[in-house]
Amino acid sequence: MFRILRSIPAASLRLLVFDLDGTLIDSGADLCASVNAMLHHFGRAPLPQAVISTYIGDGVARLVSRALGEPVEAAYLESAVAYFLDYYREHKLDHTYVYSGVFASLDSLRFEPSGAPRAMAVLTNKPIGPSLAICEALGLSRYFYRIYGGNSFATKKPDPEGLLALMQEAGVTGEETLMIGDSDVDIMTSRNAGVWSMGCSFGLSPHTLAAVPPDCLVDSPAEWPLALASILSSPAR
């Protein structure tokens, strides 16, 4: 059941920005397989998916570095990242799927309460190449006016650069923007950009949301529109 921790001006939201991994899609199995393929290539023991999931959210380089135990040698890490990416490009859709309820919720959220079209976008720390390919293959692309990845800008989340760029493109303010994601990285990004936040407890990194609470917390994609509708129907706080 969703929890409203801070009242969001739902009627004013004109831009919804979604994280990808752990928010729109469950990519945990393919990321885990790619990490373990990389570890095997470098003579390391495999890691369980539960452990690898805690490393996801800050981009490929951090994922690989954490899996390797934070190696110091830059060339070694670069080689490992390259191997991971090569493997992941080939296997990114082996087991990845769109969470149940996502499509129905996106259909519902495409319009503001007034009936006007609402802008929606994706901002992920996953590289833009596989991000675009996954969204296209799984039927997500049509919902978003823009999809930005971890290498679309000079910085990654939680730096607000990408989110601020999306806001500028959509012509909206922070008060009119909601960031939806499953990790503290997404919530910190929203705070850094001065926008509202919705956390997803069903994702890959929900354990991180305890330290950085979102304005609203949901337990499934089906609750995205339900939470906003509940706020709209509640008395002003």
Side-chain angles (χ1 to χ4, degrees):
M1 182 65 181
F2 58 83
R3 281 83 77 197
I4 308 298
L5 307 181
R6 192 163 69 109
S7 187
I8 299 171
S12 302
L13 295 176
R14 297 173 53 208
L15 172 62
L16 305 182
V17 180
F18 295 83
D19 177 45
L20 184 58
D21 298 281
T23 301
L24 294 167
I25 62 171
D26 187 340
S27 53
D30 288 333
L31 289 170
C32 178
S34 299
V35 166
N36 280 329
M38 176 274 298
L39 291 173
H40 178 76
H41 178 75
F42 287 94
R44 302 293 191 94
L47 294 171
Q49 185 171 331
V51 172
I52 293 173
S53 293
T54 67
Y55 300 157
I56 297 169
D58 296 303
V60 169
R62 295 299 300 134
L63 169 61
V64 171
S65 181
R66 288 164 177 158
L68 288 169
E70 306 285 10
V72 175
E73 188 181 348
Y76 176 65
L77 180 58
E78 289 174 7
S79 177
V81 167
Y83 187 92
F84 170 88
L85 286 173
D86 286 343
Y87 187 94
Y88 185 66
R89 287 188 189 101
E90 295 298 320
H91 298 276
K92 61 185 177 293
L93 288 165
D94 286 358
H95 304 287
T96 293
Y97 62 92
V98 178
Y99 284 115
S100 176
V102 164
F103 289 117
S105 288
L106 291 178
D107 283 328
S108 176
L109 292 169
R110 292 174 83 166
F111 298 96
E112 301 173 23
S114 65
R118 178 186 275 140
M120 297 195 294
V122 170
L123 179 63
T124 173
N125 278 344
K126 182 193 291 291
I128 188 60
S131 298
L132 290 171
I134 288 171
C135 286
E136 183 63 27
L138 298 182
L140 290 166
S141 298
R142 67 183 186 274
Y143 291 97
F144 306 112
Y145 80 91
R146 191 77 74 234
I147 297 172
Y148 282 137
N151 53 345
S152 294
F153 301 95
T155 61
K156 296 180 175 66
K157 297 182 298 182
D159 191 283
E161 182 180 9
L163 186 48
L164 292 173
L166 288 168
M167 291 163 60
Q168 183 177 25
E169 292 171 3
V172 301
T173 66
E175 190 75 3
E176 299 169 319
T177 304
L178 175 69
M179 177 85 206
I180 302 172
D182 71 307
S183 76
D184 58 345
V185 172
D186 301 305
I187 309 310
M188 288 189 291
T189 305
S190 72
R191 292 184 181 183
N192 292 338
V195 313
W196 302 98
S197 62
M198 182 180 286
C200 301
S201 67
F202 57 85
L204 300 177
S205 306
H207 60 282
T208 64
L209 296 175
V212 189
D215 298 316
C216 176
L217 187 65
V218 300
D219 294 330
S220 75
E223 292 184 352
W224 295 336
L226 295 177
L228 295 184
S230 173
I231 296 168
L232 282 172
S233 61
S234 299
R237 299 188 181 185

